[in-house]
Amino acid sequence: MDAGGPEAKPSLLVLGTGLQYGTDMEAKLAALRRGMLEPAVLAVVEHEQRYAAEIAETLRASGFPVQDGTLHPLISRLRREGLVTHEWRESPTGPPRKYLAISDLGRRELEAFRTYIHTLATTLDSIGRRP
Amino acid sequence: MTDLALAGHGGAFPMSAEARALILEYLERARTAMGASPAGDETVRDVEAAIGDQLRRILDDGGQIDRDVTTRVLEQFGPVSSDEEAAPAARAPFLCRIVEGKQISGLCLGLATRADVRVDWLRSIAVILGLFSGGLLVVAYLVALLFAPRMRTTGEYRRAIEADRRREQR
């Protein structure tokens, strides 16, 4: 059953930050990333509690550009769906911050997302090939 | 120079009149995009506080909040857009009280919306059953009031039911 495919594939997350693709291609990749924003946010708070600005920063640093205008509504929905929980903590500078942590439900969803994305990537490699 | 208070932040932020207008306009657009709901309000407040964080940093670095700086900050934030269409959040509760168009509590209106029947019929039947069941239904009604969440309009409830149905199909 071994298809003999290469073991390590570049993850989708690594792609599409610079201008190595044309503008058209970049727009298509951005559309692809939009759908992955939810699992990406869940992954960011998987091991550590973070607040919105930190989440944005972490995503950007991992080549996943996201704007606050998109991130805040998404976080709000994740909270309402019970995928993340939050806790207020004092901040050294400004007002208290909402630190987000993944919930058990969120963990299960993230796991499902990961499995599915891997399936998709494998399918994309093998689809249409002659057996 | 004028100033502007932002959600969560203690003091007001000194800024130019143009900058103030830009921020207020941005927040107004965000409010429209998120729609009138507690969740939407909360999201806009979060965005407002996050803008405040950025402005505070600029001020702490000795910067001024003028038109150019504000434009840059807001561009970085990008437009606030609701992602409800992609995946509507709230699950439709089995029972709910609909505020707009209610007679007593809106419970009958919720039921009628779910069952897709005329609300005046449902109310009449409820009253008749209430009389004939010796108050049993009245007790059930009162108990239901304790648990049924509120919804603003029948349209909102219908959309939530519709979204649930789509989720089940997936």
Side-chain angles (χ1 to χ4, degrees):
Chain A
M1 272 304 175
D2 185 17
E7 281 301 295
K9 296 190 195 81
S11 104
L12 276 172
L13 295 180
V14 182
L15 301 175
T17 40
L19 287 167
Q20 64 261 53
Y21 309 99
T23 9
D24 287 357
M25 191 55 203
E26 184 48 44
K28 290 179 190 178
L29 292 176
L32 204 56
R33 280 199 304 271
R34 251 196 304 282
M36 286 190 44
L37 193 54
E38 178 167 341
V41 169
L42 289 175
V44 170
V45 295
E46 188 186 8
H47 299 295
E48 214 178 310
Q49 301 195 7
R50 290 192 161 97
Y51 62 95
E54 264 182 330
I55 296 176
E57 207 47 57
T58 314
L59 285 173
R60 280 184 211 123
S62 13
F64 211 103
V66 59
Q67 292 183 304
D68 291 69
T70 318
L71 187 62
H72 282 278
L74 173 70
I75 290 177
S76 159
R77 178 167 61 76
L78 295 181
R79 265 210 326 265
R80 272 173 291 143
E81 288 180 353
L83 300 171
V84 297
T85 56
H86 74 277
E87 132 188 329
W88 289 96
R89 276 198 226 155
E90 292 298 326
S91 110
T93 50
R97 289 171 173 148
K98 253 182 229 171
Y99 274 80
L100 303 169
I102 199 165
S103 69
D104 287 342
L105 188 65
R107 233 175 263 282
R108 279 201 295 278
E109 190 182 291
L110 179 59
E111 212 39 61
F113 265 125
R114 282 201 170 118
T115 315
Y116 186 62
I117 287 166
H118 281 297
T119 318
L120 279 184
T122 328
T123 311
L124 192 58
D125 277 349
S126 60
I127 200 164
R129 278 202 199 144
R130 284 167 209 280
Chain B
M1 284 300 268
T2 171
D3 55 23
L4 177 65
L6 290 168
H9 290 268
F13 294 85
M15 60 178 70
S16 74
E18 282 168 317
R20 185 173 191 274
L22 281 173
I23 293 173
L24 289 177
E25 192 192 325
Y26 176 85
L27 290 173
E28 197 46 54
R29 268 204 305 274
R31 224 160 268 139
T32 314
M34 291 306 296
S37 68
D41 292 347
E42 196 183 351
T43 308
V44 176
R45 257 200 317 278
D46 286 350
V47 171
E48 202 178 318
I51 292 176
D53 285 343
Q54 292 274 333
L55 297 184
R56 178 64 63 210
R57 203 164 309 144
I58 291 165
L59 289 174
D60 286 349
D61 289 346
Q64 298 266 327
I65 303 174
D66 56 16
R67 193 173 58 115
D68 289 347
V69 167
T70 310
T71 311
R72 193 156 44 75
V73 168
L74 295 181
E75 247 165 37
Q76 212 184 331
F77 265 72
V80 172
S81 54
S82 165
D83 63 1
E84 292 303 295
E85 260 161 15
R91 287 199 163 264
F94 181 67
L95 288 174
C96 80
R97 303 165 57 174
I98 293 174
V99 177
E100 198 179 285
K102 67 173 184 176
Q103 278 294 336
I104 300 174
S105 67
L107 202 62
C108 281
L109 190 52
L111 263 180
T113 306
R114 171 167 282 278
D116 208 12
V117 296
R118 283 182 53 170
V119 65
D120 39 5
W121 290 13
L122 198 132
R123 280 189 189 123
S124 313
I125 294 170
V127 169
I128 293 168
L129 279 181
L131 291 174
F132 282 88
S133 64
L136 208 64
L137 193 71
V138 178
V139 174
Y141 185 90
L142 292 176
V143 171
L145 285 191
L146 293 177
F147 299 103
R150 258 176 249 257
M151 287 238 165
R152 221 156 37 84
T153 59
T154 49
E156 195 178 307
Y157 191 36
R158 223 173 265 133
R159 273 197 297 280
I161 295 173
E162 195 52 46
D164 271 3
R165 210 165 287 154
R166 274 203 302 273
R167 247 190 300 248
E168 274 158 28
Q169 280 167 6
R170 252 184 261 149

